[in-house]
């Protein structure tokens, strides 16, 4: 069973606000992207393709000699498509798509996703239960005041992470259909595929804000990982 991982790392990191593309921000002495790529190889993936901002193409090729590096697009799904174009649709048995921003994802999460695709699922996502109470709100026209209109039953809700796993044909079809979604499984869902869920892990959280980066740095320090 061969596995290829596509890593979108071309985002600007607006919500982090670090003044540079997020994947290149330092996380305990190495970039967020290097840590993500290490995690992917540690999980036994055979081949890796990374999408980065055009101005960082050469620097990334020097930094990561084992991986293919391509120029990303203006939205995440364009970056994934750029990676996909580099490897071709049937270069492996399983294709993983993994956010560079989920730099501390444990190898067990990769294993669960790869195993589920190997055992016959077309599309697999790791996910964790939602723990806060969820409310639907409306914003009053007059200003920023929000009013609750309903409390949502959280029992069937899941927060979805990456790596997301695909049979190559399912991923190709999902991206060929002209749709829009915040994750690749959403595109597959729209193309009619069943999306199976395996347990995620809180350590697979996405470094999105300055708070997340602070937590990630603290976690690295406390585990002594280099
Ligand atoms: N045009 C884009 C946008 C996002 N990504 C990648 O997709 C992953 C998830 O995106 P997110 O965490 O939302 O990153 P940003 O788009 O950089 O964040 P922001 O919305 O705060 O700018 C990240 O690894 C990011 O680098 C990408 O490759 N290309
Ligand atoms: C792919 C993803 O990380 C799954 O949770 C998420 O959908 C990315 O969304 P964002 O809007 O780019 O943060």
């Amino acid at each position: 069973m061969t596995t290829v991982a596509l890593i979108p790392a071309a985002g600007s990191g607006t919500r982090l606000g670090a003044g540079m593309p997020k994947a290149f921000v330092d996380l305990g002495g190495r970039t967020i992207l290097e840590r993500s790529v290490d995690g992917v190889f540690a999980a036994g993936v055979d081949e890796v393709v990374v999408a980065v901002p055009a101005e960082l193409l050469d620097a990334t090729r020097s930094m990561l000699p084992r991986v293919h590096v391509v120029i990303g697009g203006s939205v995440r799904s364009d970056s994934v498509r750029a990676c996909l174009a580099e490897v071709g649709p049937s270069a492996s048995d399983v294709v993983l798509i993994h956010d560079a921003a989920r730099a501390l994802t444990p190898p067990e999460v990769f294993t669960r996703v790869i195993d589920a695709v190997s055992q016959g699922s077309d599309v697999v996502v790791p996910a964790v239960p939602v723990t806060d109470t969820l409310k639907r709100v409306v914003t009053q026209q007059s200003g920023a005041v929000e009013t609750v209109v309903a409390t949502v039953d959280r029992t069937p809700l899941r927060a979805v992470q990456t790596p997301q796993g695909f049979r190559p044909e399912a991923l190709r079809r999902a991206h060929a259909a002209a749709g829009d979604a915040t994750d690749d499984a959403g595109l597959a869902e729209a193309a009619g595929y069943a999306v199976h869920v395996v347990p995620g892990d809180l350590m697979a959280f996405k470094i999105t804000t300055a708070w997340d980066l602070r937590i990630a740095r603290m976690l690295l320090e406390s585990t002594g990982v280099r």
Side-chain angles (χ1 to χ4, degrees):
M1 190 64 57
T2 56
T3 306
V4 62
L6 316 183
I7 304 187
S12 51
T14 316
R15 289 168 287 180
L16 182 62
M20 67 169 81
K22 181 166 69 182
F24 297 84
V25 168
D26 180 82
L27 176 54
R30 318 195 56 220
T31 62
I32 287 176
L33 176 57
E34 286 174 289
R35 291 202 179 272
S36 296
V37 169
D38 280 358
V40 166
F41 279 126
V45 167
D46 302 288
E47 195 177 357
V48 176
V49 186
V50 173
V52 299
E55 69 277 15
L56 288 162
L57 184 69
D58 292 339
T60 310
R61 284 184 172 151
S62 305
M63 183 173 87
L64 298 170
R66 282 178 76 188
V67 314
H68 304 264
V69 187
V70 299
I71 297 174
S74 57
V75 294
R76 184 182 178 282
S77 55
D78 286 342
S79 297
V80 172
R81 273 190 277 272
C83 292
L84 204 49
E86 176 74 8
V87 279
S90 51
S92 64
D93 302 308
V94 179
V95 184
L96 297 179
I97 302 183
H98 184 50
D99 290 334
R102 296 185 188 269
L104 302 184
T105 304
E108 298 75 33
V109 180
F110 289 90
T111 305
R112 287 196 281 272
V113 172
I114 293 168
D115 286 353
V117 177
S118 307
Q119 286 158 21
S121 297
D122 285 321
V123 185
V124 178
V125 296
V128 291
V130 175
T131 53
D132 287 321
T133 293
L134 300 177
K135 310 258 185 213
R136 191 184 309 283
V137 299
V138 288
T139 307
Q140 305 302 324
Q141 262 186 338
S142 50
V145 177
E146 293 180 339
T147 306
V148 172
V149 290
T151 299
V152 179
D153 176 15
R154 71 183 174 206
T155 321
L157 298 181
R158 298 290 177 268
V160 168
Q161 305 176 324
T162 71
Q164 300 190 345
F166 299 80
R167 266 184 208 283
E169 180 62 9
L171 184 63
R172 192 193 62 72
R173 283 177 185 237
H175 273 275
D180 192 23
T182 53
D183 70 341
D184 303 280
L187 294 175
E189 217 180 302
Y193 285 97
V195 176
H196 293 156
V197 180
V198 296
D201 192 299
L202 293 180
M203 286 293 282
F205 71 100
K206 184 154 71 68
I207 300 172
T208 305
T209 62
W211 172 261
D212 299 325
L213 182 60
R214 204 169 144 197
I215 298 290
R217 286 176 172 155
M218 284 164 61
L219 284 167
L220 268 183
E221 254 181 54
S222 71
T223 53
V225 174
R226 300 198 159 260

